[in-house]
Amino acid sequence: MSETDDTATAQPLHYRIRREAGGAIAGLTAWFRGSWREKRWFRLLVITAGAGLLLLIAGWFVLARDLPDAEVLLEYEPNLPSVVRGADGEIVHRYERERRVALQFKDLPPQLLNAYTSAEDKTFWTHGGIDAGGFIGAVIDYVSKIGTGERAVGGSTITQQLAKNIMIGDEYSITRKLREMILATRIESVLSKEEIITLYLNEIPLGRRSFGVQAAARAYFDKDVDDLALHEMAYLAILPKAPESYSREANFDEALTRRNIVLGQMYDNGHITAEQRDAARAMPLGIIQGARAERSADAGYFLEEVRRQLIERFGETAEDGRNSVYAGGLWVRTSLDTELQDAARDALRAALIRYHGNRGWTGPVATLNPANGNLASQLASSNLSISYQDWRIAVVTGRSGQSAAIAFADGREGSLAGGVPDAMKTGDVIAVSPQGNGWRLRAVPEVSGGFVVQDPHTGRVLAMQGGFDSRLSDFNRATQANRQPGSTIKPFVYAAGLDAGMTPATMVPDSQYCYYQGANLGEKCFTNFGGSRGGGEYPMRYGLEQSKNLMTVHIAMDTGMEQVINTFEAMGIADKGVYQPYPAFALGAGDTTVLRMVNAYSALVNHGRLNAPTVIDYVQDRDGKVIYKSDTRECTGCNMDEWDGSPMPRLAPRGRQAMDARTAFQVVNMLTGVIERGTATRLRDLNIPLFGKTGTSTGPTNAWFVGGSPDIVAGAYVGFDQPRNLGGWIQGGNTGAPIFGDFVRASRDRWDGRPFLAPEGVRMVRIDRRTGRRVLDGWPTNDPMSAVIWEAFKPDTEPRRSQRQDEIDALRELILAQLRRREEGPAGASGDHSSETPGNFVEEQGGIY
């Protein structure tokens, strides 16, 4: 070895690498310069390549400059429907325009994942967002279909489909495809494979308004994803290609073929055995035909009120905010009691059917225009339906003489059996029920009404029925219909009188009352129901039990109409300034709603404490955080880790004290007499402690009943939407009270018979219910008509133990006369001595005080 070689070997390795690399670079540079100077084709090649590179870079920036940031997917929240639960926690409804259910990766069955990757992207778990082979195939397919009008398919990985569905849309162009590829690579750098496929399977549109595999599993098979069979999973995996096409009955053969191909691909990819493949291929599609029955309580009016309040508070769509009703995925706990709701619905419907009686067909539910196209399709778009016995909604598609052809929303056709009303015409929407091989016309009652049930201690509305069926009309007569309450307002007139110093035993004249209204209106005179001018004087209780108008007016005018109106306003029956201080308002001439009246009666039984009526208990966002609750009371010390020995923390009472608790109980105690011997005695056979009041407005245009127990208060009215005379025989007692009776009988297990408890400061005293006088030598009995009853008084207002002064004076004169006769002796006596004072006078009279 030479000295030079020894020196080279002795040099460090990195020095020799740099020296050799530098020599190579120098040689390459010299070659490039020489080729550039001497070879023209080389110069053209370099210029073309450079221009192409510049165009590629420019194209990249153009395509990628306004692409969304893939990192937004880290916090991406899909649009989700809001779920509504009843008082017992069970799901009663969903507010949704698209069927969506978000699952976590752990909730997705492995074979479902395998079905989708086999059908859509078999290299999903290994590629970086783009499948080169699939992309080349898609390009070839696109080129081959240029000018044919057909749309090229294939080539998109699951990651690319996710980018398309969530971030850039479904525009059909090369530009969109390239943008999709760029975004897919970015997504792969931000999300894990598990996160990508979870988002994809929650967002992919799969037909029947379903987005995501869980919603589709329900829509097509009425199952949850973990209950799906292998062939059902394979069917869901074919839907991304053509969801609306593969779900139509006309394309079932094509869908079956495509499903079996996916099963074959699962076998080829090693996910299933040949036996599993063949068994699954032998299965029919098995998808549900027609619309799947939604799991929803039959409480349309209640749920619509909940929806209205939610939209008012949180907005309707995603544009309105994160917690919107149709996109926010809210969890809403309501006060809906489905048992009481069903009872209220059936009771009101029965009353409307009873009133309608044999009046026959009163006209169509709605009318469609044949000029606007297929009537069955129009009916389907109208969303009109009915849920009563076996009734269905149909549209008249034609008539000939006394026969008519009808069609249903699902496209099926039929004919009416029997005579057809002369007024019926093509386009009329009607109610029918099956009869033989045809259909029988049914009459939806024209009369309507409202019904509300409430927990008096909390204000929570437990049930609400605003008409015959919310599917026919969404006008909620329980909350939106302003009606005259008639005599149901009288208890609050009497409450004003009690606050003004009267008692239930105060004697009130039942005589005609007239007053001068001014030069223009002249004199106004009131009469009792039926035109009676009354007569005599009776205890206040009697006037309320028998609903005496004249006694009510006397009480109102003696109390002062301003004070009466103040009581109405304090109890929430009317807003401030709506009612005027005229005597007619004391008889129910002002407008109010069923909800307001029930809420006011609830305050009576709640010892005068008024709660705001609520249908929503609380709302949670999609993460479970409570974002609204109706009960905002604070509970200091309720969340202590350990008990510190101090008294148990207690919540403050709900609501506000709107009436003296003693006054409220006095009114309730009198209202029990309405059930026992007054205008609502037909409820007495329920054999439970109840209070309540009937009401009939002038006409009569409305028939009412409001009342209940210590724990449930309910109220209902019946009347036409455009008020008109119901008929002279209609009264609250024969029309309103039976609704309440049917309601109680249908929910009998909810009525425990608990008595009404008096608040502190009430004295229960025995009185003669006919005279209002105190009784000391008799006791109340179980007979409702007993002369002796318990009456409620505030301290020092009860009848005194002594007799009235005129009787005392007469007795004193009698005693003095006897004493004079004794002093005069037998000589001074004349006539019969039978008028001597009885020896047991003190015992009989109870003493003189």
Side-chain angles (χ1 to χ4, degrees), residues 7 11 60 122 126 156 163 168 187 226 242 384 403 477 498 518 523 526 564 773 776 820 826:
T7 303
Q11 290 176 339
W60 176 273
K122 67 179 181 180
T126 57
S156 290
I168 60 176
I187 291 173
D226 53 358
L384 291 171
S403 63
R477 296 154 189 86
L498 293 170
E523 189 176 55
F526 292 90
V564 171
R773 296 178 184 176
L776 298 171
R820 292 191 194 100

Side-chain angles (χ1 to χ4, degrees), residues 325-345:
V325 174
Y326 287 99
L330 303 178
W331 290 87
V332 185
R333 176 63 71 92
T334 71
S335 53
L336 177 65
D337 186 310
T338 52
E339 179 185 358
L340 296 182
Q341 174 64 38
D342 290 346
R345 177 202 63 213

